[in-house]
Amino acid sequence: MFSLVAAHTWLDLETVAQLASGSAEVSETVSTDAVAGVVTLSTCNRVEIYAEAGSPQNVEQASKEILRTIAKTTDMPYDHVAAAFKLYRNDAAVRHLFEVGSGL
C-alpha cells in the first residue's frame, strides 16, 4: 500500500483544488497492471490517494501512472503534479491514513 498526498501546508489552495478535480476519477481512469486498487480522499485542504501496487516492486510505476492520470485530467504538466504530491509507503502510508482519519 502507498499514498500520494498533496496538502495546503505546502501548496496554495488553488493548486489543491485543481489537483482534487483531476483526481476525482483516478480510480476509474487508471488502467494498468501496476495499480491493484485506488481510493481518493479529497477535502478543501488536501488530496490523498491511497493505492495498492500490483506488487511491492511496482510502487514507483503505480504512483507515476496515477500522477500521469492527474496531469492529463488537469492539463497540468506532469512535473508540476509530481512535485505537488508526497509519497508514503507501507507502514508510513497506513500511519498517515489513521492520522488523517482521526483528525477529520
Side-chain angles (χ1 to χ4, degrees), residues 5-6 11 26 42-43 49 53 61 65:
V5 179
L11 298 169
V26 165
S42 182
T43 71
I49 300 166
Q61 180 184 353
E65 290 296 325

Side-chain angles (χ1 to χ4, degrees), residues 35-46:
V35 181
V38 178
V39 174
T40 303
L41 168 68
S42 182
T43 71
C44 58
N45 293 330
R46 70 178 70 240

